[in-house]
Every structure is written in structure tokens, then in C-alpha cells.
Amino acid sequence: MSQQGYVAAPPYSQAQPGMGGYQGGFGAGPAQPLYGHYGGQPQAFTAPPTGIMKSPVSSAAGMPPPPLSSQYSPNIQQNGAHPQRYPAPPASSAYGQPAPSPYNSMASQAPPPTQQLTNQMSAMNMGNYAPGPMQSPPPPAMGQPPMPPGPQSPLMSPPQSPPATMAMGGPPMAGPSMAGPPMAGPPMAGPQMAGPPMAGMGRPFPGPPPPGPGGFQQPGPGAAGPLGYQQQAGPFGGPMTGPQPGMPGGFPGAPGGLAGPPQKKLDADSIPSITQVIGEDQERQGGQVYSTNVRGQVPPLVTTDFSVQDQGNASPRFMRCTTYTLPCTADLAKQCQVPLATIVKPFASLPKNETPLYVVNHGETGPIRCNRCKAYMCPYMQFIDGGRRFQCGFCNCVNEVPVHYFQHLDHMGRRVDFYERPELSLGSYEFAATLEYCKNNKTPNPPAYIFMIDVSYNNIKSGLVKLICEELKTLLENLPREEGTESSAIKVGFVTYNKILHFYNVKSALAQPQMMVVSDTAEMFVPLLDGFLVNYQESRAVIFNLLDQIPDMFADTSESETVFAPVIQAGVEAFKAAECSGKLFIFQSSMPTADAPGKLKNRDDKKLVNTEKEKTLFQPQKGVYEQLSKECVAQGCCVDLFLFPSQYVDLATMGDVPSHTGGSVYKYNNFQVETDGEHFLRDLRKDIQKSIGFDAVMRVRTSTGFRATDFFGAVYMNNTTDIEMAAVDCDKAVTVELKHDDTLSEESGALMQCALLYTTISGQRRLRVHNLSLNCSSQLMELYKSCETDSLINFFAKSAYRAILNQPLKNVREILVNQTAHMLACYRKNCANPSAASQLILPSAMKVLPVYMNSLMKSAPLVGSTELSTDERAHQRLSVMAMGVEDTQLLLYPRLIPLHNMDTSSEAPPAPVRCSEEGLTDAGMFLLENGHSMFLWLGQASPPDLIQSLFNVPSLSHLQGHMSSLPELDNPLSKKVRSIISEVQDKRPNSMKLQIVRQRDKPEMLFRQFLVEDKSLHGGASYMDFLTYVHREIRQLLT
Amino acid sequence: MATYQEFIQQNEDRDGVRFSWNLWPSSRLEATRLVVPVSCLFTPLKERPDLPPVQYEPVLCSRANCKAVLNPLCQVDFRAKIWACNFCFQRNPFPPSYAGISEVNQPAELMPQFSTIEYIVQRGPPAPLIFLYVVDTCLEEEDLQALKESLQMSLSLLPPNALVGLITFGRMVQVHELSCEGIAKSYVFRGTKDLTAKQIQEMLGLTKPGAAGQQGRPPAPQDAAASCKFLQPVHRVDMNLTDLLGELQRDPWPVPQGKRPLRSTGVALSVAVGLLEGTYPNTGARVMLFIGGPPTQGPGMVVGDELKTPIRSWHDIQKDNARHLKKATKYYEAMANRSATNGHSIDIYACALDQTGLLEMKCLSNLTGGHIVMGDSFNTSLFKQTFQRVFSKDYNGDFRMAFGGVLDVKTSRELKVCGAIGPCVSLNSKGPCVSENEMGIGGTSQWKVCSLNPSSTLGMYFEVVNQHNAPVPQGGRGVIQFVTQYQHSNTQKRIRVTTVARNWADAQSQIQHIESSFDQEAAAVLMARLGVFRAESEEGPDVLRWLDRQLIRLCQKFGQFNKDDPTSFRLSESLSLYPQFMFHLRRSPFLQVFNNSPDESSYYRHHFVRQDLTQSLIMIQPILYAYSFHGPPEPVLLDSSSILPDRILLMDTFFQLVIYHGETIAQWRKAGYQEMAEYENFKQLLQAPLDDAQEILQTRFPMPRYIDTEHGGSQARFLLSKVNPSQTHNNLYTWGQETGAPILTDDVSLQVFMDHLKKLAVSSSA
């Protein structure tokens, strides 16, 4: 058990709740309804957490034995001081409606005494909130007038009867927005489209069948899987390709629109705003403790600052779902088209005040698992037969409890050591793995980092090599190390290369490093074993010597050709020889054109944009790199690629290996040390110091009735179930699509266990287990209530980005629009009160989905513009594939922070405003960041004193052209702005280069494309246009 | 005229030539009846301190297919300033520079004492000597240390302007860059991959990028050489290289239990050959390969890395059980030929207790004139001193080595050359004097000898072409001219010309003369070379049978006997020793593989076919000296009867030097009499053979194995296996003598051998 003391002792005496107590407690509880319509302030549950409650949890970093009272406060304090311990049931559907009867009946059933406590509790929750919602009208929040409780109000009631026509009618909107080039050809064939996408269920894009001998197989008994797949194939591949060419760009669903008079412009402020939604959630749940003790509970938004207390389900930092209530049947899922997926970020970093994962050791026989489905011991295992056996919550198999693991049960049927064992009471924990979980049954060696520096002419000339060598000297001191150890166990090695490779022997015994040249790039091998991968501390002197000499050695090089595949091959061979896993840091300047395996040629062709063949721009070149990925993954060799191109480098191919090995691709166009040096070094530092696991295999197990079917991420799939990752770091997430096999039961819910087998940085083999339980419902209302837009958009982004490898972009965009419309239409049809068709009604949980969706469709990979570089598009495509929910959210909706009128004395940064030109003011100054780029925008009429205090120049016109950082000035504004910037830099996985743009300057164009609510420069609708268009689609579907 | 003995000696001293017959039979038929062919042992660079080289170009016969060099046997018309070629009879005018010649003012090459003459010629820029060390690092620590020291020492022995290079290998092959400051650089090659010379040169960066593409113009070798970072003048990189050698580590790749280290000798050689080929073609260079075990991977692999499969033995080879033998041999032969073409020689220094694959690799040295040295460990004086002796210098302070030799043989019309046996390769030069009948390496009149030293000796075989019905007229002389062009170790280009002539004799009328002109020593060695040459490709017993038949025929031809009466058989003095040589040759390791590993056989044969006559004879019939109180040291019969208790014996087999203390002497020694002042004489007796042995050790290359043993000592087997087993366990008691030591063997003794020989020689049915 951890030194922090996991749990002292279970308070048997206290845990005697009578069932009746719960009833009462919940009845009086804070079951706050959320309004399911847009426009109203969701009646946030504003009761602030009380001090008493907060303290035990927020001290979790030190984790004093979590007092039982804290863990179990619901049981004993139910009626008392802390009713809000249970967050408001995320229900709004019941509002105004009679309590659904099934809940009552469930509640009335007394659970059998042996039933697991969590089940009891969730059951009770479900049973209890139903009668309650009417009781406490929510207090108004943020000074807006409270919405009268009632049926969903229309989002907008446009005064004119064909309201949706506005989108198309106005000349300013029609052309460039949605009806631009992409739409011009085959327009949305409304009636035809209505049907097919339905069949696709939550799987909008028939991605390439998962690799592996099995191909795409649906072993499930029902025909649903394969059937769905085939049906999908139809609409995307077939009918869509050759629709009515005669249709001149109009939306056939609203023919009148073309003729209609220009629409009165909608008030932009009246349509759903992301900043508002974020702000409200932050207001409501910010700074609070989120306990994971309730099944199917919707967590706060990713943007909200909250802390998590693990009480039996994985923290949302590790796992998030598109919806926390799964539809009970496949039909239902198909009907609503809401994708079912979970986004797993198994190594997510936890804030300081949250307890790191406990490591459980089950002894020599290894972790206790279900004999049938091999699920690991977890809170969903139910102990029966006096503790001698346990029933698996996933497959219901009854297993013997091993003798050494036996423990008596208390009267609740709970093991007496419940609190002493993380695997019984927590959602996330780790097991120490035994030899049988290791490659070749040998304990792994500590991993190694190899730095592979391209020393061709370009990199030498730009000063990059010198920069890297200098930086490595300090950086290597900070290699990640195990908590409590003196130095890092990670070994380091060095390679330089141009069209041949130079390995270095930096054995500590040597006075001078030795260089070994391998020019046989056709068949790469490692020339030395001893002395190549060394402990940095031991060989520091030799390594310093080497790093000092490298820039000089190649100072007069004229070699400009490079190789690439052999470089990776060399790394793999080195790891093979050293029998370890590890990571390669490759610093490459150009496309590998030297005569060697993996030689690339320029295949960038702008003519392909917006054609059927556009997908080839994203497809990696076949052959060497495919095989290389496979070898890398098999050896646990992760590849991080730092690119410094001055022209096209075929990033789609070069990024192929990194994107299959859990690596990242960083790109610095036209790198110059002065302007990009610090930016690059920040990335490098973050990258090296990241917490990371190696040689990982992840498996998602589910309870019966559904299963994981598709996986998106920087991963490699050898078969249909094992997610292999050469390495997985704290920023890499895998999006897992879920599908029904069978009917799910509302009662038992849906369970998921995500188990990750990996090697720690000190070479220990571990199993990290994340458990999550979801609700199931046969009511679509429940599903829509529990949706999570940020997760949805993560899924949509990844599936769309994968789809563009195989089909024309136009199809992909159409599918996105259709599915959006479909989801919303289905809600409208099944959940919303009847209202005029002209009203746009959005489910509360999805009200900002259109903004994100629109932004996604305008993103570089999907937009299909010849002005965007192919590499840039491929780069974004690859990086998104590995992103977690936080990152996609920010990428698709950048933060725009006004800096000109903030309170310099306050701690918090100013609240972001909407990403729209309308938010900008001439006299303002704004910071925009999306996790990859950062802009400081200066309005034309920025007050001189503002400029003076920030830049120390009298006016805007005195500003230097290229600045990548702000001068350090001693005044409150400068300090504040710089602290905001550095805070943002710290928070994001990547470093962002600060670009300073002045209003109406040419570089402002770059900045403008991040204002995602506006029309895009490269062709893409504004938010308003898109919403109008979607609305029309919905109406089509409804009729 | 003096005796033939003196004549032979005089000729050898002057020209380095020993003929089997010093009178030549005048027709082909007669020649074949003589059994031993007209042949000679020729030592091209025999040391001639008394021979000052001349500093001008030789005068050549102007006939295109002759080009013989003006020599003392030519007819010269001093008035007309014309000379007649004694090979083709072409009349040639002297060049203008010879305008002043007359009977009294003759150039050196016309004087009879200059039948051998050496010219220094100016051809091209002086080419440096190149020494490329190819070092195995899969050695025991102690061995590697010793080897490193030897290599470092050798740097000080090299001429300062010589180029040196270093290649090390184990599992990988590393070519070390020597020119660099700072970080030590090396180019690494995979030990399992067979690379072409072009690939190697590309990978080493020796070809200029893009140059290959420019109209296929091959990069000038001089450019490549100038920029070659791998071969540098020793004076410039002395320190660097010393450090580099000092830091040389054992091959770092782990060797699992039950495995041999992975040794990529094949690729290492291929890289070495490729490197020299690309940089210094046709320049004298020595690749010095140091190995501590057999090649175990890649091309040229001799044995797998599993220790449980032992390296091939003669038994395996006879059973056709040697898996890698053919492939490896083929690989090394190809390598040797490439190297020979470029005039680079390859030395092999193999020090290991087990075999190292010399059988497969021998051609590397045999075809390129390189040395093979075989020892147990690099940490022995045998290796250390032998290696040091490679760099020994002559009376002028020049290295006793020469490079890139081309030996051209010209014969007068009655003779044709059949072939040569020695460390050479054919240059496939077909001329009028080339016989169709091949003996040894034939079919050519020119041979390349990549590396030569003063003792390098070739066996040259000729045939008489005159038909029996048109014999050479009496009184005529047959002439042979050897023209050896080579690169002297001081980088000069030199040409040594040796012209020899012998009288023709009618075999019917002058058979006695012919018989007395027989040089039985030279004949024995020449026949032995033919036998060894055959043994390389034929089964052992076949070779022995062939030798036996030649011997019987020779005895029939020259013996005096009554038919079917063995007791009447007599041989004249000039042939008397010949059968005895053959007896010992039959027992020698050159023809017998029993008790020798394939490597040892290859090693012995390698040395046998290149040493001069004296050394070769020692190899065939070791010399035995006896030391006792009964008289001064004396040579004694190589016979078991020579082994007496009160004698110390010193046996020299060329490869071994055995000092054997007889039973009594050994007891005295054990008792420590030599320490006592009153037994000073005993001490001296013990010392005497040591001093003599030391003398031999000083001069012999390679260093012989030095063995000090005594009666009953295990090492005494070296002596016992060599002596004629006149007393064995079979005949000891019937012989009934107390002298000598019985040898436990079933081998026949010389007496038995002779009895059989006589019986067969006199038999009318044979």
C-alpha cells in the first residue's frame, strides 16, 4: 500500500444506513433540473460546496486516510449538512413530465443484501430524483432572468415562416459559406440523404477495416454490426458520388429560399455561445470536488477547473464518454445516431492535489482476474458465497477467490478489506505485473532515449544543431524519473546523420567519444552495443565532450541529402540489441531524398485538392514505413519527429511511423534560431520530460451487450482488440468506439474496463486499470441528457480525419452535416415537446455542437483549399488523431482573451470572449490560443500607454516586425500579460509560438482564420450560416 | 672445371638458381626418360651484397614477342654496334647511349660476372609502401593486449613515409579514420553482408558523389588516394594510431554460453581489399590479418558459432562433411585473386589453440605472396619475434620485402616453360616459350608475385621440345632468362635480370655426364613441390603412389643392377641420397595429413612451396645434431639409433627446434650437476645446443617452435615422429641392440623402404 496510507479502517459501525434514510435524503436533495432548451440559463446548481465537505477531499494530495465519513458521507449525512455531495442528477428530461414509472418500480425493489453497494446507490439515485425535480426552482445564475420552467422554448423563432431560408438567401452568405466550391457539385440531396445516414448509427465513416488477419469481423451474434457496416458503405461510396449535377448549389430542401427576401440578420448573441457554456459550467462546478461514485454521472466540462475524487469510477481525466447513458438497444442507437465512444487518456497527468494511482501487488501469481473474460479485479466484481467466490461484473462468470486473497464479507456483502484495497474501491489503480506479462518472460530493462540529429547542411546552417547540443546538456539532467529516485534510469544514446549515420560511443571509461559511421543504409544495423546507450550521470563528461564537438565536426559539411527510414531502423535495432524499449527524438530538416530505403519524392500536387484523389495527399506512401511501424511497435520504439522544413517534406509519410508508435510530430517551418529557437526548445523540454509509459498494450473490456469496435489514436492495431502503443504519454488519448452486441439492461448498466500493460520509466512492468460505469436507458431523453459535446466532437474529428484517407472530403463534410442534423432531428422528434417546425430546438447538452462541428469542417484537413500547405494539413490530421478531449476542444474553439480592460490586480485571467470578429474592438488587445498557435492581436486604436507598458515603444507603428516574446517590463500590465501567456504555455501539451499581429496588417489573415465563428478565408460557413443550414436539414428530416 | 658440387654452389650464389639437371638432354624423349624434369629453383631476390644495381634502363630485344634483355651471353658486334638476341636471334642495334662501347669498354650487363644484374628504373612517381592492419578483436584480453603492443611496436619499425591503415573486426567490421582530430571516427560494416568493391568504396566515401554519374568517367585513383582518410603516412598519425590501438577494446558484443564469438573475417578482408583496390591499385601494399579464431559469420564463414559443432577435420573433409569448406574457399580465392590483380599481398597471423580456418584462407597468402604465421597465442615470443622479423632490414637498411613483382621467363628455342610452383599467380601471358604441358601454375610465361623477400623461391619447370630425330647439336647451350620487375621497399622500381645457360648433352652417349650433373637436393625439392602441388587437389595416397613410381623409374634408369637381384642394386653418388629424401618426404606433414589438422597441413605446405633449397631440405629431412662428452658436436643420422642416453640432440625441422636430453643427461641435469663448479663441463655441454639453437632462431622466419625436452618427456614425440624408426617395438628384440630408442610405430623404416625399392627397381616385371 502506498506510503500515503490509502484508507485506515473501514467503519463498520457507521455504515449502517437504512434504506429508508436514503429515500428521504434524496427526496430533499438538490436534484436540479437542467433546462433542456437553448437560450435559457441552465439552472446551474449554485450551492457552493461547504467548507467541511471540501477539506477532506482537497487535501487529497497528501491523502490522509480518506476518512470513511468522507467516502461514505452519503450514507450518514444524507439528510444533513451535505446533500450536495451527490451532484445533481444530470436529468432535465423529467422536468415538467410525470416521473417515469420504471424508476419508481426500480426504487421500490429492495436490492438483495449481497448486492454491491455501488449498485445500490446508483439504483437509489435513479429511483430518487424522479419525484424531486419540481421542488426547488433553480436560483438564477449570472444575473440573467431565470427562465420560466416550462416546455422547451424555441431557440429562435424567426419572424418569417421559412426561417431557414435565410442562410441561403442573402448573397453575402450563400456563395462563400456552405455553398462554396465543396457544395457546388453534388448538393445535399435531402430526401436521399435522410435515410442512409440513419443506418450508419454512430459510425459515420467506414474507416479502413482494422488491420490484422481477421479483417473487419463482427463476431457478435446479431447481424447489426456487419449490416450497419455495409449500409454505411452505400451512402458514402455509392449514391453520393454522382448526384444531380444539375442542381446549382441550392439546398433542394428549401427551394423557396433562393427566391426569398434577404433575411433579417439574427442577433449573434442570441445563438448558443461556447464561451457562455464554458463560463457557466466553470461557475457551477469550478473549484469543486467531483466524486466518481455515481454510475453514469456526467462530469464537468474539460474547460472547467475541478478536482476529482476517485470513488469507484475512473476520473474524467482518464476516460470521458460521448454519452454517459447508453441506449439500451442497437435500434435506439441507430435511431439517434449519437456516436457511442469513450476517449481514454490512460496516462493523463493529474493535478498536484489529486492522489497518484496506487500500485497493487497481488503477489507472484499476478493480478487476480476473471477466468473467462480476463477482466482485472475491480469494484464491479461482486463477492458472493461468503467471500469465497466472486462474480465478474463483465461476463458474469463466477470465479474462485484465491486463498491468499480471501477476505470475509460484512453484512452488506462487502469485503471487510474494501477500503484497504484500491482495486475494490477505486476506479483507477495499477497492478504490479509479473513475469508472464513481460516480453520473453524477462523483466524489461529501463527504457532509453536516443537523440538522432540530422547534421545536413540545412540544420548546420540554421544553427539548429548547435542549439540542440547546447540544450541537451541541461535537458538531460531532467529526464523523467521515478518518484523518490535520485536519478533517471533512462539511458541515452546519440546519433547524427545526413545520408549516412554516425553512432557515438560515449562509454564513461573513454576520454573522448568515438564516432562510428554506418553507411550501409540499405540494411541498417547498430555498430556497437556497449557504450551506445549509457547512463547520463555516469557518462556526463564524455557526453558533454561530444555535444561540444558535434557542431564543429560538421561545421563545413556540404551534404544536403538525408535519409529517414534507416534512422528509425537504427533506433529499433539499437533497442533490439539492448533489449529495451524507448523513444527516438529525430531532428530532421528535409525530405529524405538520399538513395536508401524510405526515399521520398515530392508528390505534393495542389491540383488534387477538391478532387476524388485529394485523399492521396493524406495517405502515407506504402512500403518501408508500414513495415517500420510494425517493427517499432513490436520493439516498443516510440518515434518523436521534429521537422524543420523549408519546403514540402511529405509529412503524411514521414509522420506515419510517429503516428503509429505513440509519438508526436513537431514542425517548424523555415526555422530560425532567433525567432523559433525558444519555441522549439520549449517543445523539446516538454516532450522529454513528459510522463510516459513504454511498450504498452491496452485492452478495453466491456460488460455484455456492447463492445469496443474501433480505435482512433497514435496506436497500432495488430488485431481487432489489442491497442498497441510503443509508448503512451500524458497527452495521448485513444478514442474507442462502442457498439451494441445485444440489449443492455437499465439495471446493471454498462461497465468498461480499460487495462493498459506498460513498462515504467524505471523498467517495471505495470498494469494500469481504469474502470467506468455508464447508465443505460431505453429513453432517448436520458441519452441526450447525458451527452458530452466535447467528447462528441473529439470523436467526430478523429473519425472524419480518418475518413479522409479513404473518401473525398466533400463526402466527409456532408456526412458530418447530416449526422449533426440527424442527431438533432431525432431529439426534436422524440424528446422535445411539439412546437413549430420553424423552431430550432437543441438538446441542452449539445447546444454548442454546431459551433464545434462547423469549426471542424473548416479545419485545415477538411477544408480543401489550395492555399493551405499539404504538409500543414497532414500535420494537423495526424496530431488530432492522438488528441484528448481537452485538446480537440481548444483546437476547434480557440480561446480569445481580451487583455485591454482586465483587472491587473486579479489572480484569474479575464474571461474569454467568443471567437468572432465582432468580439474584437479597435482599441483592444486580445490573446488567442488554440494549443498550437498563439496570437497577440493589437487593435488599430490601441491606446499608446497600453503599447508603451507592454512593448516599451511609444506607439503601434514603432513595433518591430518579428517578435516572439514580450519584453520583460516592470509594470502591472506587462507582468500580468506575461503571466497569462506563460500560464497558458505551461498548461498546453505543445509550446506555442507567440505571434504579434496588428489589426489590418498582412499577418492578421493568419489570425483571422482562428475566429471560428466567422466565415473562413478558405471557404467555410460562419457559425450563423451553418446553424441555419443545419436547421433546414433538420426540418427536412422531420417532414 | 671444378666438381659439379662447386659449380652448383657457385651458380646458386651468383644467380639464385639450382637446376635439377646441369646438363640438359637434347631431345624431348630423352628428357622424359630422365624422370625428373628439367627444372630449377629460382630465388628472384637472392641477396647479393656484392651486386650494385645499375641506374639505367635495360636494353631490350626489339622483337615484339621477345623483349629479352641484353645479357653476357649475347653475341656483340662492337664495331657495328649491334647485338644478337640469344633467344630469337634478332640483331639489334645498341641504343645511342651505348655509342661508346668497345671490347674494352663494355657495359656491366655484358660482363660474364653480371649474369644477374639489377636495374633501377624511373617509372612514374615513387609509390609508398602501404601497411593495412586488419585486426580481430574477438580475442582474450591477454592476447589482445599482447597484439596491441606488437602492433604499436611495429609502427616504430615502419618507414616514416609508409602509409598505414587500421581495420578491426569482430561481429562488425570497423575501418578507422586516421586523419581526424578530436573524436575518433570509424566506418562500420555489418559482418554478415557480402559487399561489392564498389559498394564498399561508396560507403567509405571514396567515390566522389556525382562523379559516377558524369559520363561514367571513373574517379581518378589519385584523387581518391589523396582524400583517403583511412591510409595515412605513419609519421603523421603515429601518435593517433598508437592511442587508437591503445584504446582498442575486445569486441563488445556478448558471446552467449556455448557459442563462438561472431567473427566477420570474410567481410573484414573484403573491406580491406576493396579499400586498397579503390585507393592504391597496383601499388605495393600488405594487408596484415591478425586472427584469433575461425570466421564464424558472413561470407567466408568457416564454422558456425555453435561450439558444439567442431571445426572441420581431415576426416570431415574426406567424408565430405565440411559444410562451409567449398563456399569459404571459393570466397577467399576470389578475394585473393582480386588482391593479386592489384598487387596487394595478404599476410595471415593466426594465433589460437584451435584451428582458425587457414585451410580455407591459405590462398590469400599463397596467391599474393603473403606470410602465414601460426601460433598458439599472440602473447608468445613465437608470434612477437616473428612479427618483428617481418620488418627486418638488409645490409643497406632496406626492408627485406619487395612488392608487385612480375617474373618473366624467356627460354631459348629448344626449351619451353611448363609452369611455376610458388607464391605466385599466372599473368596469362602466352608467348612462344609457353608449353602446353602444364606443371604447377602453367600456361604462361609471366607470373605475378605480389610480395617477395630474399628467400622467396619458385620452382620453375621446363620441357625440352626438340624431337628425338632432330636433337640439339652438340656443344650448344640452352639459355633461360628470368626478368623480375618489382617495387623495392625504398619505393624504387627495379628490374633484376638473371640469364643462365646449360650445355646440351646427348643422353645416349653422355648419360654418365648427365647423371653426374644431377643435383639430387634440388631435384628432391622440385619433385616434392610437384607432389605438394598435386596433394592440394588429389587424394593423398595417389600422390604417394605417383612419387613412388617416379622414384622407382629413376632408380631403374640410373641404378646399376642385375635383373631380379635386389642385392646387386647400386646407385651412383650423385643419386645416393635421393631415395632417402623421398622416404622422409613421404612421412612429412606435406604429404601426410594424419595427426595434422587441415590448418596445420595448409600452414606447412604454404611454407614449403616458398622457401629456398636449404630450408626446404630441412623441412623434408630434418637435421639432427648430437652433443656429448665423446667429441665435438656432430650431425648424426635422423634415425632412432641416434637417440642415446648420454647425448643431447638438437633437431631442426624448420618449424620446430627440438633439444632432446638423453636419459642420463636428463638425470644429471635433474640432479643439478651443472650448478656445481666441478661439473663446469657439463654445464657447457648443456649450453652448447642452446647456443646453436639460438643461432637458428635468430635467422629463421617464421620463428620455429622452440622445444626443450628430455627422454620420456611428452614433447619428445616431436623428435620420435621424425626419426627413421629403425628400432620399433616390433623389431627391438630381434635386433637385439641396446643402443638407440625404440619407436612405437608401425611405420616402415628406411631399411624396409630401401629393400622394397630395390626389389621393385630390379624387377623385370615392373
Side-chain angles (χ1 to χ4, degrees), chain B residues 12 15-19 39-47 366 369 407 420-424 441 449 451-461 482 522 525-526 529 605-617 619:
Chain B
E12 186 181 9
D15 298 329
V17 179
R18 288 276 294 251
F19 273 98
S39 52
C40 71
L41 287 166
F42 174 55
T43 309
L45 294 192
K46 185 170 179 61
E47 276 189 354
N366 286 348
L407 173 62
I421 297 179
C424 59
I441 305 161
V449 195
S451 169
L452 282 164
N453 60 29
S455 70
S456 297
T457 302
L458 289 95
M460 313 292 311
Y461 299 85
F482 301 99
V525 173
L526 284 160
R529 282 204 182 193
R605 287 172 184 173
H606 164 85
H607 282 288
F608 184 69
V609 296
R610 61 171 51 206
Q611 291 295 341
D612 62 19
L613 182 131
T614 319
Q615 306 296 339
S616 300
L617 269 185
M619 290 188 221

Side-chain angles (χ1 to χ4, degrees), chain B residues 430-481:
Chain B
K430 311 273 185 213
C433 58
V434 177
S435 162
E436 281 174 12
N437 177 22
E438 285 189 31
M439 295 170 98
I441 305 161
T444 178
S445 63
Q446 278 189 345
W447 291 265
K448 186 149 193 171
V449 195
C450 297
S451 169
L452 282 164
N453 60 29
S455 70
S456 297
T457 302
L458 289 95
M460 313 292 311
Y461 299 85
F462 303 92
E463 76 174 346
V464 179
V465 288
N466 276 20
Q467 291 306 317
H468 189 60
N469 47 13
V472 184
Q474 289 291 312
R477 289 203 292 183
V479 188
I480 298 175
Q481 188 172 61

Side-chain angles (χ1 to χ4, degrees), chain A residues 912-933:
Chain A
V913 298
R914 298 178 71 154
C915 270
S916 162
E917 194 180 351
E918 287 162 41
L920 305 174
T921 55
D922 281 1
M925 177 169 75
F926 292 85
L927 184 73
L928 181 139
E929 58 108 0
N930 73 346
H932 285 260
S933 314

Side-chain angles (χ1 to χ4, degrees), chain A residues 450 452 495-503 518-527 532 562-574 584 586 588 592-600 624-625 628 631-632 637 639 654 657, chain B residues 190:
Chain A
I450 305 180
M452 308 181 118
V495 170
T496 56
Y497 66 96
N498 36 47
K499 67 178 193 187
I500 53 177
L501 278 80
H502 321 108
F503 293 76
V518 174
S519 12
D520 187 1
T521 47
E523 245 181 283
M524 204 13 93
F525 63 98
V526 208
F532 178 56
T562 55
V563 293
F564 183 59
V567 178
I568 300 178
Q569 187 77 49
V572 179
E573 297 296 330
L584 310 179
I586 303 183
Q588 171 100 11
T593 51
D595 201 10
K599 172 182 176 174
L600 297 179
V624 178
Y625 292 97
L628 208 46
E631 277 183 50
C632 282
C637 165
V639 178
M654 292 188 77
V657 176
Chain B
R190 191 194 272 273

